[in-house]
PDB file of all heavy atoms in Angstrom:
ATOM      1  N   GLY P  35      -2.154  11.766  -9.840  1.00  0.00           N
ATOM      2  CA  GLY P  35      -2.945  12.940 -10.125  1.00  0.00           C
ATOM      3  C   GLY P  35      -2.886  13.947  -8.994  1.00  0.00           C
ATOM      4  O   GLY P  35      -2.576  13.612  -7.821  1.00  0.00           O
ATOM      5  N   TRP P  36      -3.207  15.189  -9.344  1.00  0.00           N
ATOM      6  CA  TRP P  36      -3.426  16.219  -8.346  1.00  0.00           C
ATOM      7  C   TRP P  36      -4.901  16.645  -8.423  1.00  0.00           C
ATOM      8  O   TRP P  36      -5.430  16.824  -9.502  1.00  0.00           O
ATOM      9  CB  TRP P  36      -2.571  17.457  -8.645  1.00  0.00           C
ATOM     10  CG  TRP P  36      -1.077  17.266  -8.309  1.00  0.00           C
ATOM     11  CD1 TRP P  36      -0.086  16.958  -9.184  1.00  0.00           C
ATOM     12  CD2 TRP P  36      -0.528  17.386  -7.032  1.00  0.00           C
ATOM     13  NE1 TRP P  36       1.101  16.873  -8.497  1.00  0.00           N
ATOM     14  CE2 TRP P  36       0.886  17.148  -7.201  1.00  0.00           C
ATOM     15  CE3 TRP P  36      -0.991  17.686  -5.781  1.00  0.00           C
ATOM     16  CZ2 TRP P  36       1.742  17.180  -6.099  1.00  0.00           C
ATOM     17  CZ3 TRP P  36      -0.089  17.742  -4.677  1.00  0.00           C
ATOM     18  CH2 TRP P  36       1.259  17.519  -4.837  1.00  0.00           C
ATOM     19  N   PHE P  37      -5.516  16.794  -7.264  1.00  0.00           N
ATOM     20  CA  PHE P  37      -6.864  17.270  -7.182  1.00  0.00           C
ATOM     21  C   PHE P  37      -6.871  18.433  -6.152  1.00  0.00           C
ATOM     22  O   PHE P  37      -5.906  18.626  -5.411  1.00  0.00           O
ATOM     23  CB  PHE P  37      -7.778  16.170  -6.634  1.00  0.00           C
ATOM     24  CG  PHE P  37      -8.011  15.031  -7.618  1.00  0.00           C
ATOM     25  CD1 PHE P  37      -7.067  14.099  -7.871  1.00  0.00           C
ATOM     26  CD2 PHE P  37      -9.247  14.970  -8.279  1.00  0.00           C
ATOM     27  CE1 PHE P  37      -7.285  13.100  -8.756  1.00  0.00           C
ATOM     28  CE2 PHE P  37      -9.487  14.004  -9.231  1.00  0.00           C
ATOM     29  CZ  PHE P  37      -8.482  13.036  -9.468  1.00  0.00           C
ATOM     30  N   ARG P  38      -7.918  19.177  -6.150  1.00  0.00           N
ATOM     31  CA  ARG P  38      -8.072  20.267  -5.169  1.00  0.00           C
ATOM     32  C   ARG P  38      -9.513  20.370  -4.736  1.00  0.00           C
ATOM     33  O   ARG P  38     -10.455  19.949  -5.424  1.00  0.00           O
ATOM     34  CB  ARG P  38      -7.579  21.562  -5.696  1.00  0.00           C
ATOM     35  CG  ARG P  38      -8.409  22.164  -6.878  1.00  0.00           C
ATOM     36  CD  ARG P  38      -7.704  23.384  -7.417  1.00  0.00           C
ATOM     37  NE  ARG P  38      -8.542  24.016  -8.497  1.00  0.00           N
ATOM     38  CZ  ARG P  38      -8.112  25.071  -9.214  1.00  0.00           C
ATOM     39  NH1 ARG P  38      -6.900  25.578  -8.991  1.00  0.00           N
ATOM     40  NH2 ARG P  38      -8.855  25.555 -10.178  1.00  0.00           N
ATOM     41  N   GLN P  39      -9.649  20.905  -3.505  1.00  0.00           N
ATOM     42  CA  GLN P  39     -11.015  21.064  -2.958  1.00  0.00           C
ATOM     43  C   GLN P  39     -11.055  22.343  -2.136  1.00  0.00           C
ATOM     44  O   GLN P  39     -10.314  22.497  -1.196  1.00  0.00           O
ATOM     45  CB  GLN P  39     -11.353  19.897  -2.100  1.00  0.00           C
ATOM     46  CG  GLN P  39     -12.799  19.887  -1.655  1.00  0.00           C
ATOM     47  CD  GLN P  39     -13.177  18.533  -0.996  1.00  0.00           C
ATOM     48  OE1 GLN P  39     -12.344  17.755  -0.596  1.00  0.00           O
ATOM     49  NE2 GLN P  39     -14.498  18.269  -0.951  1.00  0.00           N
ATOM     50  N   ALA P  40     -11.912  23.240  -2.590  1.00  0.00           N
ATOM     51  CA  ALA P  40     -12.174  24.493  -1.832  1.00  0.00           C
ATOM     52  C   ALA P  40     -13.359  24.272  -0.899  1.00  0.00           C
ATOM     53  O   ALA P  40     -14.175  23.363  -1.169  1.00  0.00           O
ATOM     54  CB  ALA P  40     -12.456  25.591  -2.838  1.00  0.00           C
ATOM     55  N   PRO P  41     -13.481  25.064   0.128  1.00  0.00           N
ATOM     56  CA  PRO P  41     -14.603  24.869   1.040  1.00  0.00           C
ATOM     57  C   PRO P  41     -15.971  24.918   0.377  1.00  0.00           C
ATOM     58  O   PRO P  41     -16.199  25.812  -0.425  1.00  0.00           O
ATOM     59  CB  PRO P  41     -14.412  26.033   2.034  1.00  0.00           C
ATOM     60  CG  PRO P  41     -12.977  26.400   1.987  1.00  0.00           C
ATOM     61  CD  PRO P  41     -12.542  26.127   0.573  1.00  0.00           C
ATOM     62  N   GLY P  42     -16.795  23.939   0.701  1.00  0.00           N
ATOM     63  CA  GLY P  42     -18.142  23.914   0.125  1.00  0.00           C
ATOM     64  C   GLY P  42     -18.219  23.412  -1.279  1.00  0.00           C
ATOM     65  O   GLY P  42     -19.289  23.478  -1.877  1.00  0.00           O
ATOM     66  N   THR P  43     -17.136  22.931  -1.842  1.00  0.00           N
ATOM     67  CA  THR P  43     -17.140  22.429  -3.189  1.00  0.00           C
ATOM     68  C   THR P  43     -16.682  20.964  -3.220  1.00  0.00           C
ATOM     69  O   THR P  43     -16.095  20.468  -2.278  1.00  0.00           O
ATOM     70  CB  THR P  43     -16.218  23.255  -4.131  1.00  0.00           C
ATOM     71  OG1 THR P  43     -14.802  23.010  -3.769  1.00  0.00           O
ATOM     72  CG2 THR P  43     -16.519  24.743  -3.987  1.00  0.00           C
ATOM     73  N   GLU P  44     -16.913  20.314  -4.373  1.00  0.00           N
ATOM     74  CA  GLU P  44     -16.466  18.977  -4.539  1.00  0.00           C
ATOM     75  C   GLU P  44     -14.960  18.939  -4.937  1.00  0.00           C
ATOM     76  O   GLU P  44     -14.467  19.914  -5.515  1.00  0.00           O
ATOM     77  CB  GLU P  44     -17.309  18.278  -5.661  1.00  0.00           C
ATOM     78  CG  GLU P  44     -18.733  18.058  -5.257  1.00  0.00           C
ATOM     79  CD  GLU P  44     -19.478  17.230  -6.261  1.00  0.00           C
ATOM     80  OE1 GLU P  44     -18.940  16.979  -7.352  1.00  0.00           O
ATOM     81  OE2 GLU P  44     -20.652  16.841  -5.986  1.00  0.00           O
ATOM     82  N   ARG P  45     -14.328  17.844  -4.668  1.00  0.00           N
ATOM     83  CA  ARG P  45     -12.965  17.685  -5.058  1.00  0.00           C
ATOM     84  C   ARG P  45     -12.892  17.630  -6.589  1.00  0.00           C
ATOM     85  O   ARG P  45     -13.660  16.927  -7.232  1.00  0.00           O
ATOM     86  CB  ARG P  45     -12.365  16.364  -4.501  1.00  0.00           C
ATOM     87  CG  ARG P  45     -10.888  16.319  -4.523  1.00  0.00           C
ATOM     88  CD  ARG P  45     -10.360  15.192  -3.599  1.00  0.00           C
ATOM     89  NE  ARG P  45     -10.686  15.458  -2.222  1.00  0.00           N
ATOM     90  CZ  ARG P  45     -10.175  14.737  -1.190  1.00  0.00           C
ATOM     91  NH1 ARG P  45      -9.363  13.730  -1.451  1.00  0.00           N
ATOM     92  NH2 ARG P  45     -10.519  15.011   0.038  1.00  0.00           N
ATOM     93  N   GLU P  46     -11.978  18.442  -7.154  1.00  0.00           N
ATOM     94  CA  GLU P  46     -11.880  18.477  -8.586  1.00  0.00           C
ATOM     95  C   GLU P  46     -10.495  18.137  -9.087  1.00  0.00           C
ATOM     96  O   GLU P  46      -9.494  18.384  -8.413  1.00  0.00           O
ATOM     97  CB  GLU P  46     -12.264  19.885  -9.098  1.00  0.00           C
ATOM     98  CG  GLU P  46     -11.319  20.998  -8.692  1.00  0.00           C
ATOM     99  CD  GLU P  46     -11.603  22.326  -9.402  1.00  0.00           C
ATOM    100  OE1 GLU P  46     -12.506  22.363 -10.302  1.00  0.00           O
ATOM    101  OE2 GLU P  46     -10.938  23.318  -9.079  1.00  0.00           O
ATOM    102  N   PHE P  47     -10.486  17.573 -10.264  1.00  0.00           N
ATOM    103  CA  PHE P  47      -9.231  17.215 -10.917  1.00  0.00           C
ATOM    104  C   PHE P  47      -8.471  18.440 -11.369  1.00  0.00           C
ATOM    105  O   PHE P  47      -9.041  19.425 -11.895  1.00  0.00           O
ATOM    106  CB  PHE P  47      -9.552  16.321 -12.166  1.00  0.00           C
ATOM    107  CG  PHE P  47      -8.385  16.017 -13.010  1.00  0.00           C
ATOM    108  CD1 PHE P  47      -7.563  14.976 -12.683  1.00  0.00           C
ATOM    109  CD2 PHE P  47      -8.213  16.693 -14.207  1.00  0.00           C
ATOM    110  CE1 PHE P  47      -6.436  14.676 -13.494  1.00  0.00           C
ATOM    111  CE2 PHE P  47      -7.118  16.397 -15.065  1.00  0.00           C
ATOM    112  CZ  PHE P  47      -6.248  15.379 -14.692  1.00  0.00           C
ATOM    113  N   VAL P  48      -7.159  18.378 -11.155  1.00  0.00           N
ATOM    114  CA  VAL P  48      -6.298  19.504 -11.571  1.00  0.00           C
ATOM    115  C   VAL P  48      -5.330  19.005 -12.684  1.00  0.00           C
ATOM    116  O   VAL P  48      -5.240  19.623 -13.749  1.00  0.00           O
ATOM    117  CB  VAL P  48      -5.448  20.040 -10.408  1.00  0.00           C
ATOM    118  CG1 VAL P  48      -4.476  21.077 -10.852  1.00  0.00           C
ATOM    119  CG2 VAL P  48      -6.364  20.585  -9.313  1.00  0.00           C
ATOM    120  N   ALA P  49      -4.645  17.905 -12.420  1.00  0.00           N
ATOM    121  CA  ALA P  49      -3.686  17.389 -13.398  1.00  0.00           C
ATOM    122  C   ALA P  49      -3.419  15.919 -13.135  1.00  0.00           C
ATOM    123  O   ALA P  49      -3.483  15.464 -11.995  1.00  0.00           O
ATOM    124  CB  ALA P  49      -2.369  18.202 -13.358  1.00  0.00           C
ATOM    125  N   GLY P  50      -3.053  15.197 -14.204  1.00  0.00           N
ATOM    126  CA  GLY P  50      -2.683  13.803 -14.065  1.00  0.00           C
ATOM    127  C   GLY P  50      -1.507  13.452 -14.910  1.00  0.00           C
ATOM    128  O   GLY P  50      -1.227  14.158 -15.929  1.00  0.00           O
ATOM    129  N   ILE P  51      -0.806  12.402 -14.569  1.00  0.00           N
ATOM    130  CA  ILE P  51       0.413  11.977 -15.314  1.00  0.00           C
ATOM    131  C   ILE P  51       0.428  10.456 -15.318  1.00  0.00           C
ATOM    132  O   ILE P  51       0.206   9.808 -14.326  1.00  0.00           O
ATOM    133  CB  ILE P  51       1.645  12.619 -14.696  1.00  0.00           C
ATOM    134  CG1 ILE P  51       2.869  12.408 -15.544  1.00  0.00           C
ATOM    135  CG2 ILE P  51       1.888  12.169 -13.261  1.00  0.00           C
ATOM    136  CD1 ILE P  51       4.044  13.280 -15.186  1.00  0.00           C
ATOM    137  N   SER P  52       0.864   9.883 -16.480  1.00  0.00           N
ATOM    138  CA  SER P  52       0.918   8.453 -16.566  1.00  0.00           C
ATOM    139  C   SER P  52       2.108   7.930 -15.800  1.00  0.00           C
ATOM    140  O   SER P  52       2.947   8.650 -15.395  1.00  0.00           O
ATOM    141  CB  SER P  52       0.999   8.077 -18.058  1.00  0.00           C
ATOM    142  OG  SER P  52       2.151   8.627 -18.640  1.00  0.00           O
ATOM    143  N   TRP P  53       2.184   6.613 -15.702  1.00  0.00           N
ATOM    144  CA  TRP P  53       3.163   5.963 -14.893  1.00  0.00           C
ATOM    145  C   TRP P  53       4.644   6.361 -15.194  1.00  0.00           C
ATOM    146  O   TRP P  53       5.465   6.462 -14.334  1.00  0.00           O
ATOM    147  CB  TRP P  53       3.034   4.423 -14.916  1.00  0.00           C
ATOM    148  CG  TRP P  53       3.462   3.890 -16.205  1.00  0.00           C
ATOM    149  CD1 TRP P  53       2.736   3.701 -17.339  1.00  0.00           C
ATOM    150  CD2 TRP P  53       4.791   3.347 -16.532  1.00  0.00           C
ATOM    151  NE1 TRP P  53       3.470   3.117 -18.361  1.00  0.00           N
ATOM    152  CE2 TRP P  53       4.747   2.917 -17.877  1.00  0.00           C
ATOM    153  CE3 TRP P  53       5.965   3.220 -15.808  1.00  0.00           C
ATOM    154  CZ2 TRP P  53       5.847   2.322 -18.476  1.00  0.00           C
ATOM    155  CZ3 TRP P  53       7.068   2.617 -16.441  1.00  0.00           C
ATOM    156  CH2 TRP P  53       6.979   2.221 -17.746  1.00  0.00           C
ATOM    157  N   ASN P  54       4.907   6.572 -16.495  1.00  0.00           N
ATOM    158  CA  ASN P  54       6.276   6.938 -16.869  1.00  0.00           C
ATOM    159  C   ASN P  54       6.401   8.392 -17.293  1.00  0.00           C
ATOM    160  O   ASN P  54       7.463   8.765 -17.807  1.00  0.00           O
ATOM    161  CB  ASN P  54       6.739   6.058 -18.017  1.00  0.00           C
ATOM    162  CG  ASN P  54       5.862   6.254 -19.299  1.00  0.00           C
ATOM    163  OD1 ASN P  54       4.865   6.973 -19.259  1.00  0.00           O
ATOM    164  ND2 ASN P  54       6.272   5.627 -20.395  1.00  0.00           N
ATOM    165  N   GLY P  55       5.359   9.148 -17.104  1.00  0.00           N
ATOM    166  CA  GLY P  55       5.434  10.588 -17.434  1.00  0.00           C
ATOM    167  C   GLY P  55       5.184  10.886 -18.858  1.00  0.00           C
ATOM    168  O   GLY P  55       5.272  12.004 -19.299  1.00  0.00           O
ATOM    169  N   GLY P  56       4.864   9.833 -19.687  1.00  0.00           N
ATOM    170  CA  GLY P  56       4.724  10.033 -21.100  1.00  0.00           C
ATOM    171  C   GLY P  56       3.485  10.764 -21.480  1.00  0.00           C
ATOM    172  O   GLY P  56       3.384  11.317 -22.566  1.00  0.00           O
ATOM    173  N   ARG P  57       2.482  10.722 -20.611  1.00  0.00           N
ATOM    174  CA  ARG P  57       1.195  11.419 -20.938  1.00  0.00           C
ATOM    175  C   ARG P  57       0.814  12.257 -19.749  1.00  0.00           C
ATOM    176  O   ARG P  57       0.983  11.815 -18.602  1.00  0.00           O
ATOM    177  CB  ARG P  57       0.100  10.437 -21.270  1.00  0.00           C
ATOM    178  CG  ARG P  57       0.210   9.705 -22.615  1.00  0.00           C
ATOM    179  CD  ARG P  57      -1.005   8.879 -22.873  1.00  0.00           C
ATOM    180  NE  ARG P  57      -1.243   7.850 -21.897  1.00  0.00           N
ATOM    181  CZ  ARG P  57      -2.347   7.633 -21.229  1.00  0.00           C
ATOM    182  NH1 ARG P  57      -3.427   8.431 -21.492  1.00  0.00           N
ATOM    183  NH2 ARG P  57      -2.496   6.700 -20.367  1.00  0.00           N
ATOM    184  N   THR P  58       0.287  13.409 -20.018  1.00  0.00           N
ATOM    185  CA  THR P  58      -0.213  14.270 -18.971  1.00  0.00           C
ATOM    186  C   THR P  58      -1.605  14.751 -19.400  1.00  0.00           C
ATOM    187  O   THR P  58      -1.941  14.805 -20.577  1.00  0.00           O
ATOM    188  CB  THR P  58       0.664  15.449 -18.658  1.00  0.00           C
ATOM    189  OG1 THR P  58       0.793  16.268 -19.854  1.00  0.00           O
ATOM    190  CG2 THR P  58       2.023  15.025 -18.184  1.00  0.00           C
ATOM    191  N   ASN P  59      -2.341  15.166 -18.407  1.00  0.00           N
ATOM    192  CA  ASN P  59      -3.693  15.721 -18.678  1.00  0.00           C
ATOM    193  C   ASN P  59      -3.884  16.873 -17.636  1.00  0.00           C
ATOM    194  O   ASN P  59      -3.746  16.663 -16.448  1.00  0.00           O
ATOM    195  CB  ASN P  59      -4.752  14.660 -18.435  1.00  0.00           C
ATOM    196  CG  ASN P  59      -6.152  15.097 -18.805  1.00  0.00           C
ATOM    197  OD1 ASN P  59      -6.358  16.160 -19.324  1.00  0.00           O
ATOM    198  ND2 ASN P  59      -7.137  14.246 -18.593  1.00  0.00           N
ATOM    199  N   ILE P  60      -4.204  18.056 -18.164  1.00  0.00           N
ATOM    200  CA  ILE P  60      -4.259  19.240 -17.349  1.00  0.00           C
ATOM    201  C   ILE P  60      -5.720  19.815 -17.456  1.00  0.00           C
ATOM    202  O   ILE P  60      -6.255  19.939 -18.595  1.00  0.00           O
ATOM    203  CB  ILE P  60      -3.269  20.312 -17.775  1.00  0.00           C
ATOM    204  CG1 ILE P  60      -1.879  19.738 -17.856  1.00  0.00           C
ATOM    205  CG2 ILE P  60      -3.329  21.524 -16.852  1.00  0.00           C
ATOM    206  CD1 ILE P  60      -1.300  19.318 -16.559  1.00  0.00           C
ATOM    207  N   ALA P  61      -6.309  20.160 -16.381  1.00  0.00           N
ATOM    208  CA  ALA P  61      -7.617  20.734 -16.374  1.00  0.00           C
ATOM    209  C   ALA P  61      -7.613  22.079 -17.122  1.00  0.00           C
ATOM    210  O   ALA P  61      -6.659  22.831 -17.022  1.00  0.00           O
ATOM    211  CB  ALA P  61      -8.145  20.903 -14.971  1.00  0.00           C
TER     212      ALA P  61
END
Side-chain angles (χ1 to χ4, degrees):
W36 286 100
F37 290 76
R38 67 186 182 186
Q39 188 168 19
T43 70
E44 293 187 351
R45 195 166 296 189
E46 66 171 355
F47 172 80
V48 175
I51 188 166
S52 61
W53 71 273
N54 63 353
R57 289 188 298 129
T58 62
N59 188 2
I60 308 294

